[in-house]
Amino acid sequence: MKRRQFIALVAGMAGWPVVARLPGALAQSSRPVTIIVPYAAGGPTDTLARILAQRISVGLGQNVLIENVPGASGSIGVGRVARASPDGTTLSIGNVGSHVFNGAIYSLPYDLLNDLKPVALVASNAQLLLGKPGIPATTLEELITWIKAQPRAILIGTGGPGSAAHLSGVYLEQHLKISATMVPFRGTGPALQALMAEQIDILFDQVSNALPQVRAKTIKAYAVTAKNPSSVAPDIPTTDAAGLPGFYVAVWHGLWVPKDTRASVIASLNSAVVDALADSTVRARLAELGQDIPAPDQQTPQALGSFQKAEMEKWWPIIKAANIKPE
C-alpha cells in the first residue's frame, strides 16, 4: 500500500468507534467487569466463577475480575452488588443458599428479588442422599422402611445451620413425617467423615464431593435428588425412580446485577455467559466438577428469575416451619 493510500485509509477510520467490538452499553465503560463471589476463595462457587470469568471476558471484550467478599453465609457479598452502580461492571454470582435460603434466615438489608436482576442460570449440582455403611438397606425404599422402624430419631449430618445439607435434611424429615436430629458440622467435609465412621445415619452432599467415597464403598448412595440422572453418576437412580417422587434438591448457581441495570446491558452479559456455557473447554471443566449445565432455554434472565421465585416458594415455608435462625 502506498503512503498516500495509507494516510487516506487512516483518515477514513477516524470516525469509527474505537469500542465497536464491545457489546451493548458495556462499550461505554473502560472499567473491568467484577464478579463478586460471596464466599472465600477456593470453594465451589469461587472455582465456578473463575472458570466462567476467563471465557466471559472473551465474549465481552473486557477483563473480568473475581473479588471474594465472604461473610454471613454470603449475604455481605450479595449486598455489595445490590448497592453497586448499575452499569454492568459488577455482578453477583451466588447459589440457592445466598439467593434463596438467606432471604428466609436473615434480616437482609436488601431484597433478593427487587434489588437484583437475573442474568443467567449457569450450573447445578444435585445432592446425593447418603447413608452410613452399616445400614442394611440397599435401595431407597428399603432405607425409608429402615428409618421409620428405628426406635430413636435418626441422626442427619449437616454443614451447619442454613446449609444445603441442613435444608435437605429438614426437607426429608418433613417429607417423610419422621423425627430426626440434625447434627451440625463445620462443612460437609467433616460430616462426610462422620458418616463414614457411622457417627451419623444420613447425609446429603453434592455429587462432586461424595462420589469418590461412594465409589470406594465407604458410604452408600441411595438416590440423586434431581429429575434427571447425574451426568457423572448415571448409575445412581433419581429420587423419582427410587421411590421418593418429587424430592428435588440442587445446589445451583446463577449471576445477577443491580436492579437498575439496563435491559441492553443484561442482554450483553447474558450473551457472553451463554457463549461461555457453550464452550467445549468450559463444559469439560464443569463436568469434572460434577456440574450440570442448564438447557439453553433455561439460560435466559427470565428463566433464572422464574426459577429463583419458585425456589423461594418451595424453601421459605420449609425454613420457617423448622424455625432455622442464623448463628
Side-chain angles (χ1 to χ4, degrees):
M1 181 182 294
K2 294 181 178 180
R3 183 172 181 273
R4 183 177 300 173
Q5 292 174 313
F6 177 76
I7 293 173
L9 176 61
V10 172
M13 292 172 61
W16 292 11
V18 297
V19 292
R21 70 189 182 95
L22 302 184
L26 290 179
Q28 301 172 8
S29 174
S30 60
R31 294 170 53 198
V33 172
T34 298
I35 299 177
I36 300 293
V37 177
Y39 305 109
T45 304
D46 179 70
T47 300
L48 180 60
R50 293 176 190 277
I51 292 172
L52 290 172
Q54 185 175 9
R55 184 59 180 79
I56 289 173
S57 68
V58 175
L60 293 178
Q62 290 178 255
N63 290 331
V64 178
L65 308 178
I66 301 297
E67 182 179 355
N68 298 90
V69 185
S73 298
S75 61
I76 294 176
V78 177
R80 171 84 68 86
V81 179
R83 297 186 300 271
S85 175
D87 58 6
T89 61
T90 307
L91 286 80
S92 168
I93 186 170
N95 55 31
V96 65
S98 61
H99 285 72
V100 173
F101 296 166
N102 281 358
I105 297 173
Y106 291 87
S107 296
L108 300 175
Y110 53 86
D111 188 288
L112 285 166
L113 292 179
N114 295 322
D115 291 333
L116 297 161
K117 283 187 176 179
V119 174
L121 181 67
V122 296
S124 181
N125 196 339
Q127 301 274 84
L128 288 179
L129 199 173
L130 305 164
K132 64 183 181 182
I135 294 177
T138 58
T139 67
L140 181 55
E141 290 182 339
E142 291 176 356
L143 174 66
I144 293 171
T145 299
W146 179 86
I147 289 172
K148 292 183 175 181
Q150 296 310 296
R152 59 168 175 81
I154 63 166
L155 304 178
I156 300 180
T158 81
S163 65
H166 183 199
L167 270 295
S168 299
V170 170
Y171 187 30
L172 182 71
E173 181 183 28
Q174 295 181 10
H175 200 83
L176 295 181
K177 296 179 174 58
I178 59 171
S179 177
T181 298
M182 303 297 157
V183 184
F185 293 87
R186 292 185 178 275
T188 53
L192 193 61
Q193 294 295 319
L195 186 70
M196 293 165 58
E198 302 205 351
Q199 295 169 354
I200 54 177
D201 300 313
I202 301 294
L203 175 68
F204 288 88
D205 198 5
Q206 295 183 53
V207 175
S208 56
N209 292 340
L211 195 57
Q213 297 302 331
V214 173
R215 298 296 187 226
K217 300 186 184 304
T218 57
I219 56 176
K220 293 182 176 181
Y222 290 97
V224 59
T225 60
K227 292 181 180 180
N228 300 312
S230 169
S231 59
V232 295
D235 55 313
I236 299 176
T238 65
T239 45
D240 285 346
L244 197 61
F247 189 95
Y248 308 134
V249 185
V251 179
W252 50 266
H253 283 84
L255 288 162
W256 290 261
V257 288
K259 65 177 181 180
D260 292 326
T261 305
R262 293 201 300 272
S264 60
V265 174
I266 294 175
S268 295
L269 292 168
N270 176 264
S271 178
V273 174
V274 170
D275 286 346
L277 294 177
D279 183 84
S280 59
T281 300
V282 170
R283 296 180 73 87
R285 294 188 68 185
L286 293 183
E288 290 173 0
L289 298 174
Q291 297 284 348
D292 292 314
I293 297 173
D297 65 339
Q298 294 302 306
Q299 296 174 15
T300 67
Q302 296 76 16
L304 174 55
S306 297
F307 181 55
Q308 183 185 13
K309 289 178 183 177
E311 287 284 85
M312 288 177 172
E313 291 171 357
K314 169 183 175 177
W315 287 108
W316 283 15
I318 293 172
I319 292 169
K320 292 174 181 178
N323 197 31
I324 297 172
K325 303 293 183 182
E327 287 192 333

